[in-house]
Amino acid sequence: MTHWIFTLAFFGLVVSGVAILLAHPRFYWGETGGYGAASLFDLPLPLVLTGQTGWGRSLHFLCAWMAVLAGLVYAVSVVVTGHFGRQLLPAPTRPRAAEEGAYNVLQQLTYLAVVFVVFPMAILTGLAMSPAIASVVPQAVTVWGGQQSARTVHFFVADLLVLFLLVHLAMVIRAGFSSRMRAMITGRIASKEPR
Amino acid sequence: MNEPASRRRIITAGLAAAGASGLAYGARLASRYGLIPPDSGGIWGIGETLTYATERVLMSGGSVAREFDRSAISGVTPVNGAVPGAAAYERLLAGRFSDWRLRVDGLVARPSTFSLDELKQLPSRSQITHMACEEGWSFIAEWTGVPLSYLLTLGGMSPRARFVVFFPFDENWDSLDLADALHPQTLLAYGMNGQDLPTPHGAPLRLRVARQLGYKSVKYLSRILVTDSLKDIGSGGGSISPDIGYSWFAGI
């Protein structure tokens, strides 16, 4: 359930993120930056100033709320239901018989890093760009080395998440798209014998 | 039915019930404490309201924007938008704003007008703060001006007042709630980096709101109106921003 709300929100975040980016496809380090100042790098994207950042920003913040709320419900529920301990924590002593259908250690570590490191970083760098949040917790900005640094890190973190999504999708397709979807929606793994 | 599925069902039902009662309670509290923004309608309004209510609560301790050293002042200070083309503005600009007046009216005991010189004789404040454009660029500058709260107190603001509206010489009108209107860093700025406010930065007088994005710092001011409701001004969204697709509250 949280996965699909999150999927929708993530898609909205990526689309709107690009819409916002097109209004200023340049990146800086430190507190400030703009046309006329030296940039860290410029993206080979067209500069679009047709007001798409209006809906882009509204969509971005609405989806950010959806993603954060769904993410919180997910984080609490994996711990409460025991999924965290059973499936996500690497366990070297797990019996061989249970291995089939379980995640391997590399998968487990990647999921843990994405859920508990990369996503929180996306949220924190996003918040660092908010002048309201910066007034309440100045460290939210200074920890990244400035507001423009936070914006630059936000861009790279977003790229990392899109990369994770692509690998994630490729693995689901390789594992058998329809059986994986059935497992996710019904919560059951189809048995090998016909019923 | 197996054990984990029934447990999941109980947890889901519990969360849904908690969520629904939480939402209802939250909505009641929010409207009582003025946590609903004027542009709360529509699908985007959900995000606007969540952001506005959350940040207003977080900032309720009277948070202040970071202030910087002189050495942090940016060499490059970009601007957005054109200088107003209105004939009235061009005439005032040509006369170096000697005939310019700021009108303060609405829910104040003493509606009045101020010339630029009169404003410059009032108590002033200078601060070096970060100004970020919603597009993504930003700069740091020193702003000098009269705290808006001083002018509102001078005019005798009514206890019924809830918003302060800013009308410039162009179409980019806007408004602030009292939390930002009365904030010590909210200035009516006539100076920037030790000089008179440059024309593209909003001469002769601009609003400077340190805890919101740059577009809230209305340039080319002409009139300030104190009101208890934004419903009958423009299309009722509290500023031109919702009409052109942007948020009224730009604390983000």
Side-chain angles (χ1 to χ4, degrees):
Chain A
M1 179 64 180
T2 54
H3 181 275
W4 299 115
I5 294 174
F6 197 89
T7 304
L8 195 67
F10 187 75
F11 182 69
L13 281 165
V14 172
V15 169
S16 57
V18 173
I20 295 167
L21 182 60
L22 290 181
H24 199 81
R26 309 180 89 207
F27 288 93
Y28 312 88
W29 200 255
E31 289 288 356
T32 63
Y35 288 113
S39 72
L40 201 61
F41 59 95
D42 293 25
L43 293 177
L45 289 173
L47 174 65
V48 186
L49 293 171
T50 51
Q52 84 284 0
T53 60
W55 63 257
R57 298 175 67 80
S58 300
L59 181 60
H60 207 70
F61 303 134
L62 181 63
C63 289
W65 274 110
M66 278 168 63
V68 166
L69 295 178
L72 275 180
V73 172
Y74 170 80
V76 169
S77 69
V78 290
V79 173
V80 171
T81 60
H83 178 70
F84 184 75
R86 275 202 317 274
Q87 302 274 18
L88 292 175
L89 276 189
T93 55
R94 179 180 287 130
R96 207 98 186 94
E99 287 277 301
E100 197 187 348
Y103 300 128
N104 68 39
V105 174
L106 196 61
Q107 280 174 314
Q108 286 172 330
L109 289 178
T110 310
Y111 280 102
L112 285 176
V114 165
V115 171
F116 293 100
V117 179
V118 188
F119 268 114
M121 268 180 83
I123 296 166
L124 291 176
T125 50
L127 288 175
M129 285 185 268
S130 151
I133 298 295
S135 75
V136 180
V137 194
Q139 294 81 0
V141 186
T142 51
V143 72
W144 305 108
Q147 194 254 11
Q148 290 293 342
S149 307
R151 180 174 178 263
T152 303
V153 174
H154 194 72
F155 171 72
F156 282 119
V157 167
D159 292 345
L160 214 56
L161 288 174
V162 171
L163 184 70
F164 169 76
L165 173 71
L166 294 179
V167 175
H168 174 63
L169 278 177
M171 288 172 85
V172 170
I173 289 167
R174 259 199 81 208
F177 189 76
S178 55
S179 82
R180 289 287 91 193
M181 286 302 111
R182 203 168 330 126
M184 286 181 73
I185 291 164
T186 63
R188 293 182 185 84
I189 294 164
S191 81
K192 283 190 179 116
E193 306 101 63
R195 244 168 267 179
Chain B
M1 185 188 292
N2 58 26
E3 182 65 21
S6 75
R7 191 162 52 181
R8 173 191 286 192
R9 203 160 288 183
I10 290 166
I11 290 167
T12 311
L15 282 177
S21 58
L23 275 182
Y25 181 66
R28 263 212 316 279
L29 270 186
S31 66
R32 191 197 306 169
Y33 290 103
L35 298 178
I36 309 283
D39 55 345
S40 63
I43 180 86
W44 298 145
I46 301 168
E48 299 302 336
T49 307
L50 281 170
T51 304
Y52 180 61
T54 305
E55 294 189 349
R56 267 290 164 261
V57 169
L58 289 176
M59 293 193 287
S60 59
S63 69
V64 289
R66 291 179 300 154
E67 296 194 17
F68 298 82
D69 287 336
R70 274 229 151 67
S71 60
I73 292 175
S74 306
V76 181
T77 56
V79 290
N80 249 6
V83 174
Y89 183 78
E90 287 179 346
R91 212 168 39 244
L92 292 167
L93 177 62
R96 296 168 145 238
F97 300 110
S98 57
D99 292 332
W100 173 89
R101 297 289 182 276
L102 176 74
R103 186 147 63 100
V104 182
D105 58 7
L107 293 176
V108 286
R110 295 170 291 280
S112 47
T113 58
F114 298 86
S115 71
L116 197 51
D117 283 338
E118 284 167 341
L119 285 177
K120 285 180 178 177
Q121 275 152 30
L122 297 177
S124 75
R125 175 182 170 124
S126 286
Q127 67 203 21
I128 301 171
T129 50
H130 187 266
M131 165 115 106
C133 177
E134 53 85 20
E135 288 172 3
W137 49 269
S138 63
F139 65 88
I140 292 172
E142 181 184 45
W143 312 91
T144 304
V146 188
L148 176 62
S149 64
Y150 183 85
L151 215 65
L152 294 175
T153 309
L154 200 66
M157 185 169 74
S158 158
R160 277 170 48 222
R162 285 197 55 213
F163 299 98
V164 181
V165 190
F166 304 87
F167 295 105
F169 283 94
D170 58 18
E171 68 286 358
N172 297 318
W173 72 281
D174 215 316
S175 65
L176 293 177
D177 59 10
L178 292 190
D180 265 323
L182 299 177
H183 189 263
Q185 288 175 316
T186 300
L187 301 184
L188 294 169
Y190 46 72
M192 179 177 160
N193 292 339
Q195 305 194 319
D196 282 350
L197 193 64
T199 305
H201 282 281
L205 191 75
R206 84 177 300 176
L207 180 64
R208 182 67 192 108
V209 187
R211 300 186 300 176
Q212 297 199 41
L213 292 177
Y215 69 81
K216 287 301 274 192
S217 293
V218 183
K219 300 195 267 191
Y220 317 108
L221 286 177
S222 157
R223 179 188 170 203
I224 294 175
L225 172 78
V226 181
T227 180
D228 58 349
S229 169
L230 296 166
K231 284 205 178 72
D232 298 327
I233 306 171
S235 48
S239 103
I240 193 162
S241 299
D243 297 348
I244 54 174
Y246 291 85
S247 315
W248 169 77
F249 178 67
I252 305 305

